[in-house]
Amino acid sequence: MNLLDFIFRLGVVFAIYGFLWGIFELGILMFSAGRKRALGEIYLIKAIKYIFLADVTFLFCIDSSNSNMFVLNQVIFSGIILLTYFIGKLQKSQNRSMFFKIAGANLPQRQTSFNLRAETVVIVIALGVFVAFWFFPQYASNPISKWFHDSIINIEDTPVFGFIFKVIGFFFLLSLIFKMVNTFTFLISGGKVGNQPPNNNGSDSNNNKFDDFEEIN
């Protein structure tokens, strides 16, 4: 039961972090004034997002009041959950890119910005940083990550917003089960999940079956 409670808590953390980062990205879009971002800029911002998510997750792992589980067990399960979360995001971006390529060139080009190698590198870097924090935990406590950590706790303790994000955390717990299965299949197949030929009318609906849960995260 402690594991389910811990996953549920991480779901709340991920949801609130995504909300805070969304505000930050909205500010970037406003300052860019509609300028088309280069692929390198897109993945640099994504790398920063994933690295700080790994950092904040580690801070919650070493928080003694967070769970009754041992810290090492929390770190191990958090690493698995982060991997599942990142792979789910990669699959979603891959499926979206395929959709826009099939739909035609009239759609906004920025929505088709996807590079499998860059996505993989970003995920490996973020997970590598998460593992490195176990050996150098002093670097996990920095002003930015502590601000995210404290802000997440404050929002979680807010009656209205806290309840909303706890509901999202519950759906995160449910969707994680499906994502773990999809991630395992994705890794076994060498990253080819979702690359079904477009001539099968039922394949698109099957690939997007759990998109609602992914949007929440």
Side-chain angles (χ1 to χ4, degrees), residues 19-71:
F19 170 75
L20 295 174
W21 189 267
I23 298 176
F24 170 74
E25 283 194 316
L26 181 60
I28 294 179
L29 291 176
M30 292 177 62
F31 280 110
S32 63
R35 176 181 60 86
K36 181 181 178 181
R37 291 186 293 178
L39 189 65
E41 182 182 354
I42 293 175
Y43 280 102
L44 176 61
I45 295 176
K46 180 173 288 191
I48 296 174
K49 174 184 177 180
Y50 283 7
I51 288 173
F52 277 111
L53 176 59
D55 193 346
V56 172
T57 302
F58 184 83
L59 290 180
F60 276 94
C61 289
I62 63 177
D63 185 359
S64 59
S65 62
N66 186 43
S67 174
N68 294 325
M69 298 170 57
F70 292 110
V71 174

Side-chain angles (χ1 to χ4, degrees), residues 95-182:
N95 291 337
R96 182 190 294 127
S97 176
M98 290 181 58
F99 170 78
F100 282 110
K101 287 180 180 178
I102 294 173
N106 294 327
L107 296 174
Q109 195 65 24
R110 66 178 181 86
Q111 297 184 14
T112 63
S113 298
F114 174 79
N115 186 288
L116 180 59
R117 179 176 297 180
E119 291 273 354
T120 304
V121 170
V122 167
I123 292 174
V124 170
I125 291 175
L127 292 176
V129 170
F130 180 79
V131 174
F133 283 145
W134 175 255
F135 301 97
F136 307 99
Q138 65 274 15
Y139 294 109
S141 296
N142 55 76
I144 298 178
S145 62
K146 288 185 67 65
W147 180 85
F148 275 115
H149 178 271
D150 295 339
S151 299
I152 289 172
I153 292 178
N154 291 334
I155 294 177
E156 186 180 10
D157 292 337
T158 303
V160 177
F161 286 102
F163 175 77
I164 293 175
F165 285 112
K166 286 178 181 178
V167 172
I168 296 175
F170 172 74
F171 283 106
F172 177 86
L173 177 62
L174 295 179
S175 65
L176 187 66
I177 300 175
F178 299 106
K179 285 185 178 181
M180 283 184 172
V181 175
N182 291 336

Side-chain angles (χ1 to χ4, degrees), residues 4-25:
L4 295 179
D5 292 338
F6 180 68
I7 296 176
F8 170 77
R9 181 73 190 283
L10 280 187
V12 177
V13 171
F14 284 15
I16 300 178
Y17 177 86
F19 170 75
L20 295 174
W21 189 267
I23 298 176
F24 170 74
E25 283 194 316

